[in-house]
């Protein structure tokens, strides 16, 4: 619809309640971080089921474009996969191949999908629906990814090109230097190329609200706000600080 979709990064929560909290706090999707946190598959499945039940999209960042768990996550309620550290078109195609059915990819067909509430669905109906509604996001986190952005964004089956600002700055030798002119130029280049190829541009990793607003103004529509850890820490620190001042 052209509006910004906002996602909560989930690293600490291990229950489906986090889906309801994310929904109540105004988020559109969960960004379950299986790349950096110790989730098991069953826990992610429970969170995904809760998310489906309350109308928020459960997405999972996996470990790489070759993560073997992609298909089992998608078969058990996850509606999209975020693939980190995509540096070239071949890696983007490998990501798509994990998440999409033939002829675009090589995802295997199963029955009894949670997304259809386990109703019996003819394969001829289920596969096209899942093919259309399974999100594939490729993260650009290195100068190589920026350099190859035109080819990456052109890959069939990629829906979102998501810039990981933290890792990109680190790979550029500028860790934590948000707002750096060279990084801003790289970000603008990625967003422009993404839209040229009819894909959705995203930005994550920068938790500074004014800069996040600026990313949206520049064309980003897939935004991770911050993690539930940061939200908890911010509120947990506020009340004790007020009470100690009192």
């Amino acid at each position: 619809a052209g509006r910004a979709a906002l996602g909560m990064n989930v690293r600490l929560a291990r229950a489906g309640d986090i889906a309801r909290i994310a929904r109540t706090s105004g988020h559109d999707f969960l960004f379950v971080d299986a790349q950096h946190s110790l989730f098991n598959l069953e826990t992610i499945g429970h969170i995904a089921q809760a998310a489906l039940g309350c109308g928020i999209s459960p997405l999972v960042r996996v470990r790489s474009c070759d993560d073997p768990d992609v298909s089992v996550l998608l078969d058990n309620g996850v509606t999209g996969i975020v693939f980190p550290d995509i540096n070239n078109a071949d890696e983007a195609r490998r990501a798509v191949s994990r998440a999409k059915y033939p002829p675009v990819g090589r995802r295997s067909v199963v029955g009894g999908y949670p997304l259809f509430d386990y109703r019996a669905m003819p394969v001829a109906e289920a596969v096209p629906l899942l093919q259309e509604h399974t999100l594939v996001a490729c993260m650009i986190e290195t100068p190589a990814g920026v350099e190859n952005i035109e080819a990456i964004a052109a890959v069939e089956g990629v829906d979102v090109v998501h810039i990981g600002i933290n890792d990109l700055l680190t790979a550029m030798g500028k860790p934590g230097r948000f707002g750096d002119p060279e990084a801003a130029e790289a970000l603008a280049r990625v967003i422009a190329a993404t839209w040229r190829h009819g894909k959705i541009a995203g930005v994550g990793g920068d938790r500074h609200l004014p800069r996040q607003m600026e990313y949206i103004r520049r064309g980003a529509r897939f935004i991770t706000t911050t993690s539930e850890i940061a939200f908890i820490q911010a509120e947990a620190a506020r009340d004790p600080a007020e009470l100690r001042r009192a």
Side-chain angles (χ1 to χ4, degrees):
R3 297 189 298 272
L6 305 178
M8 179 189 287
N9 190 299
V10 178
R11 294 189 56 201
L12 183 67
R14 294 294 185 270
D17 307 77
I18 193 61
R20 296 190 178 278
I21 291 171
R23 178 67 171 169
T24 300
S25 58
H27 291 85
D28 303 295
F29 63 91
L30 297 178
F31 188 101
V32 180
D33 192 354
Q35 182 189 20
H36 294 299
S37 300
L38 296 172
F39 283 102
N40 63 43
L41 293 175
E42 189 172 0
T43 297
I44 294 174
H46 288 314
I47 293 173
Q49 292 283 0
L52 293 175
C54 70
I56 188 169
S57 299
L59 311 181
V60 176
R61 175 161 64 180
V62 294
R63 289 164 290 175
S64 74
C65 62
D66 298 313
D67 194 320
D69 292 333
V70 167
S71 61
V72 73
L73 288 168
L74 293 173
D75 290 343
N76 288 278
V78 171
T79 58
I81 302 294
V82 181
F83 294 94
D85 198 26
I86 299 298
N87 294 297
N88 53 56
D90 177 66
E91 290 177 352
R93 282 189 288 268
R94 278 152 52 193
V96 170
S97 182
R98 290 276 179 187
K100 297 287 187 176
Y101 295 106
V104 180
R106 56 188 181 90
R107 179 181 171 186
S108 177
V109 176
V110 70
Y113 292 100
L115 278 78
F116 305 131
D117 295 327
Y118 299 102
R119 295 192 306 273
M121 290 274 291
V123 174
E125 295 179 22
V127 167
L129 283 170
L130 292 168
Q131 191 83 318
E132 180 181 358
H133 294 288
T134 297
L135 191 81
V136 173
C138 288
M139 293 193 70
I140 304 299
E141 302 184 273
T142 64
V146 174
E147 187 64 30
N148 294 319
I149 185 56
E150 293 286 351
I152 292 169
V155 171
E156 180 186 1
V158 172
D159 300 300
V160 173
V161 177
H162 187 56
I163 305 160
I165 290 288
N166 250 323
D167 278 316
L168 178 58
L169 284 169
T170 301
M172 293 170 67
K174 303 177 179 184
R177 288 171 57 180
F178 299 105
D180 175 82
E182 186 182 0
E185 182 180 342
L187 185 142
R189 177 179 175 183
V190 170
I191 290 176
T194 300
W195 283 110
R196 269 197 300 276
H197 290 279
K199 310 298 171 67
I200 301 297
V203 180
D206 187 349
R207 310 310 186 197
H208 185 62
L209 197 58
R211 283 195 297 267
Q212 288 178 322
M213 293 176 180
E214 183 59 28
Y215 299 146
I216 293 172
R217 294 187 190 102
R218 294 181 187 182
R221 292 293 179 268
F222 181 92
I223 303 290
T224 50
T225 56
T226 191
S227 70
E228 90 280 49
I229 298 174
F231 285 127
I232 291 169
Q233 287 280 24
E235 190 63 17
R238 185 177 67 85
D239 282 10
E242 290 295 323
L243 291 171
R244 292 191 186 283
R245 273 195 294 270

